[in-house]
Amino acid sequence: MTEKFSRVFGRSKPVIGMVHIGALPGSPLHDPALDLFDAARADLLALQAAGFDAVMFGNENDRPYQFDVDVASTATMAAIIGRLRAEITVPFGVNVLWDPMSSIALGAATGAAFVREIFTGTYASDMGPWTPDAGKAMRYRDRLGRQDMAMLYNISAEFAHSLDQRPLPDRARSAVFSSIPDAVLVSGQITGEAAALSDLEAVKAVLPDTPVLANTGVKHDTVADVLAIADGCIVGSSLKVDGHTWNAVDPDRARDFMDRVRQART
């Protein structure tokens, strides 16, 4: 494990619960009648009560997605997280989809312990050509005085196809050498869709000293298998009412999930 990863999460095989903030102002799906703060607060409190090791705030419903996110979206996320800070009792992270620089800025402004994004690779995607710049993002983090903020690199972008024809384990190993992530994330094709266990196994096999987490699609009946391979996971959709991504967190589903996590970790 990297020193920063261990310091941020404070335990082995951490499980991170998603707080999906509703569609933000300026997004086509934004509903002015929805109280974004109250909805985010309810999800946060449900995740913390269930015993999640950390939480992450994201803007998954700001569809269609963009690479250069409207500053109003990032500002609204910052305002919501700022109002919630006094009630956050676990390490928290942020992700402004799919904008590394906005994610770094939001994390720095809110005091986040970690940030997730696509920082490396070249992809053909639903949003067009996808060419992130890890060096630019990490230097921006450091200029903002947040060298302590861990960077979690998703190396298998959702809604996209890698134009790099190297096998996933080779891309992962290369990203660790060239771009020094604090952890590597393996994803399925879209939000809520699981990464193949074979992909997790293959990436972990070549990165024995780097944390490798499952990033999408972890479910109640698969979390034990995932944690037998991975160094942790991020979960959102499985915790929602009826398992639907855009619903609120279901406290019972969240508690059941963490009960299974605790059994798996022992």
Side-chain angles (χ1 to χ4, degrees):
M1 296 299 104
T2 66
E3 179 181 350
K4 191 178 297 181
F5 185 87
S6 298
R7 176 179 50 75
V8 166
F9 295 105
R11 65 151 303 127
S12 62
K13 296 188 182 290
V15 175
I16 304 165
M18 288 300 306
V19 177
H20 291 143
I21 298 175
L24 297 162
S27 169
L29 296 176
H30 176 63
D31 179 1
L34 175 66
D35 191 317
L36 296 175
F37 172 79
D38 284 351
R41 180 176 184 270
D43 283 358
L44 168 68
L45 297 181
L47 294 171
Q48 291 182 159
F52 278 79
D53 304 305
V55 298
M56 179 159 53
F57 297 92
N59 63 327
E60 271 74 4
N61 211 13
D62 271 1
R63 298 173 289 160
Y65 295 127
Q66 296 180 295
F67 296 134
D68 185 13
V69 172
D70 189 329
V71 68
S73 297
T74 308
T76 303
M77 291 181 73
I80 291 169
I81 296 168
R83 289 179 64 190
L84 288 171
R85 276 301 302 273
E87 297 185 86
I88 301 174
T89 60
V90 296
F92 76 91
V94 298
N95 187 189
V96 184
L97 300 173
W98 296 96
D99 186 339
M101 301 298 279
S102 291
S103 295
I104 294 290
L106 178 62
T110 59
F114 61 97
V115 60
R116 173 186 72 177
E117 245 306 326
I118 304 292
F119 290 109
T120 59
T122 303
Y123 300 89
S125 80
D126 295 344
M127 295 77 69
W130 198 342
T131 56
D133 186 336
K136 183 178 180 181
M138 188 171 287
R139 286 169 173 81
Y140 186 41
R141 179 200 65 177
D142 293 355
R143 288 203 309 276
L144 296 178
R146 288 302 316 275
Q147 293 92 336
D148 62 309
M149 186 167 64
M151 294 176 65
L152 281 52
Y153 287 31
N154 182 358
I155 59 161
S156 46
E158 298 116 283
F159 315 103
H161 173 73
S162 176
L163 299 177
D164 183 340
Q165 294 304 301
R166 293 176 296 173
L168 181 62
D170 288 348
R171 302 202 318 262
R173 188 163 53 93
S174 183
V176 167
F177 186 94
S178 70
S179 303
I180 54 176
D182 296 297
V184 164
L185 311 179
V186 181
S187 304
Q189 282 296 302
I190 63 173
T191 299
E193 185 173 300
L197 290 179
S198 58
D199 285 343
L200 280 172
E201 289 176 327
V203 172
K204 188 59 196 173
V206 300
L207 296 177
D209 299 320
T210 300
V212 175
L213 282 70
N215 188 48
T216 60
V218 182
K219 297 179 171 54
H220 293 67
D221 59 357
T222 63
V223 66
D225 292 334
V226 168
L227 292 180
I229 301 167
D231 299 302
C233 67
I234 299 170
V235 59
S237 299
S238 295
L239 311 175
K240 303 300 189 70
V241 173
D242 298 326
H244 193 279
T245 301
W246 312 122
N247 288 343
V249 169
D250 181 332
D252 291 334
R253 291 177 70 98
R255 280 193 297 269
D256 182 30
F257 191 91
M258 284 308 295
D259 285 344
R260 296 175 189 233
V261 167
R262 283 185 280 270
Q263 290 178 346
R265 291 197 292 211
T266 56

